[in-house]
């Protein structure tokens, strides 16, 4: 696998992980006693958004997922034939 492909796949895993861990630990104003919502702010806006923590969590999850992906790529645990749910195609040669 090329190193550029590895970077691109890791970046995809990181973005996916960031969206997955984004809502973890957030609290809305309804959950925090004494928090006053200022004029113009959404009532659903998080009170304790910490982007560095989200990035750190996303990085950890992405490293684990990419490690599993690369190990599967190197060892061949799950192949395309393993996930083929429809069997062999009815036409082998499409004449292109």
């Amino acid at each position: 696998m090329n190193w550029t492909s590895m970077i691109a796949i890791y970046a995809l895993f990181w973005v996916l992980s960031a969206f997955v861990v984004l809502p973890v630990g957030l609290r809305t104003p309804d959950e925090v006693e004494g928090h006053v919502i200022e004029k113009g702010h959404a009532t659903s806006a998080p009170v304790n958004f910490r982007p560095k923590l989200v990035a750190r969590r996303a990085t950890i999850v992405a490293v684990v997922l990419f490690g599993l992906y690369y190990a599967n790529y190197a060892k061949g645990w799950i192949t395309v034939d393993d996930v083929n749910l429809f069997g062999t195609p009815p036409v082998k040669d499409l004449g292109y």
Side-chain angles (χ1 to χ4, degrees):
M1 178 182 304
N2 293 335
W3 65 273
T4 54
S5 298
M6 293 171 72
I7 291 172
I9 293 169
Y10 174 77
L12 289 172
F13 278 125
W14 193 92
V15 170
L16 175 71
S17 301
F19 279 112
V20 169
V21 301
L22 189 62
V24 175
L26 289 181
R27 297 174 61 195
T28 60
D30 297 337
E31 300 170 337
V32 178
E33 288 185 32
H35 184 75
V36 178
I37 302 171
E38 297 180 17
K39 184 178 180 181
H41 288 213
T43 58
S44 60
V47 175
N48 63 338
F49 179 64
R50 296 173 295 207
K52 288 182 183 178
L53 183 61
V54 171
R56 195 175 310 130
R57 287 176 180 170
T59 301
I60 292 168
V61 172
V63 165
V64 170
L65 290 176
F66 182 77
L68 289 171
Y69 170 79
Y70 190 77
N72 182 55
Y73 177 80
K75 301 288 185 181
W77 295 325
I78 301 172
T79 62
V80 174
D81 295 332
D82 294 333
V83 294
N84 185 4
L85 302 176
F86 302 109
T88 57
V91 179
K92 292 186 183 208
D93 183 18
L94 297 176
Y96 299 146

